[in-house]
Amino acid sequence: MTDITPLITKESQVITSYGNGGFNISGRRYDSSVIVFPDKVIPWNIGTEVLPEDFSEIIAAKEKVEILLFGSGEKMIFPTPEISRILRASGIALEVMDTGAACRTYNILLAEERKVAAALRVV
């Protein structure tokens, strides 16, 4: 029999829950918006308006990101075409969804060992 259980290392940042104004990620609570990489979580200081500079840390990250999941909150908010162009020029595909869906999708792509990050708004 072949084991098909995804290999997620102890160091991997797995989103275990979302709600009540924050996230539980790998046993730690975050009460703010965050950017989740496979190996780290950083606070994300994003305002009500989504700006190109909000994604600078993702573009500059030494860990190459190929897929960025943008969790826009409870309602869909689409970044401007300029943001999509900047990310695409950096080799990053942007996927926009509500934050709950972004959390679930991140975990799936992480388990598939994809080069993924999630920019998650708490709204």
Side-chain angles (χ1 to χ4, degrees):
M1 184 167 263
T2 303
D3 183 4
I4 59 169
T5 306
L7 178 63
I8 298 178
T9 66
K10 191 169 51 170
E11 295 80 26
S12 294
Q13 299 301 305
V14 178
I15 304 166
T16 53
S17 65
Y18 157 64
N20 299 323
F23 305 90
N24 288 312
I25 303 171
S26 293
R28 185 168 174 204
R29 176 74 182 175
Y30 296 87
D31 290 316
S32 67
S33 297
V34 293
I35 299 172
V36 185
F37 293 94
D39 64 340
K40 66 181 177 183
V41 179
I42 58 174
W44 192 27
N45 188 19
I46 184 169
T48 55
E49 185 178 342
V50 181
L51 304 171
E53 52 268 21
D54 293 327
F55 298 90
S56 61
E57 289 190 67
I58 297 160
I59 293 168
K62 64 180 178 180
E63 307 85 10
K64 181 65 180 146
V65 174
E66 293 177 354
I67 302 167
L68 174 62
L69 305 171
F70 173 55
S72 63
E74 292 179 7
K75 296 181 181 181
M76 295 294 290
I77 297 172
F78 291 91
T80 64
E82 177 188 6
I83 293 170
S84 296
R85 273 193 304 277
I86 291 168
L87 291 168
R88 199 172 327 118
S90 298
I92 301 171
L94 176 65
E95 297 291 333
V96 181
M97 53 195 76
D98 68 70
T99 297
C103 291
R104 293 185 296 275
T105 304
Y106 168 84
N107 285 340
I108 291 167
L109 294 176
L110 177 70
E112 292 176 354
E113 298 181 1
R114 304 289 296 273
K115 294 178 180 179
V116 64
L120 306 171
R121 288 181 64 176
V122 175
V123 180

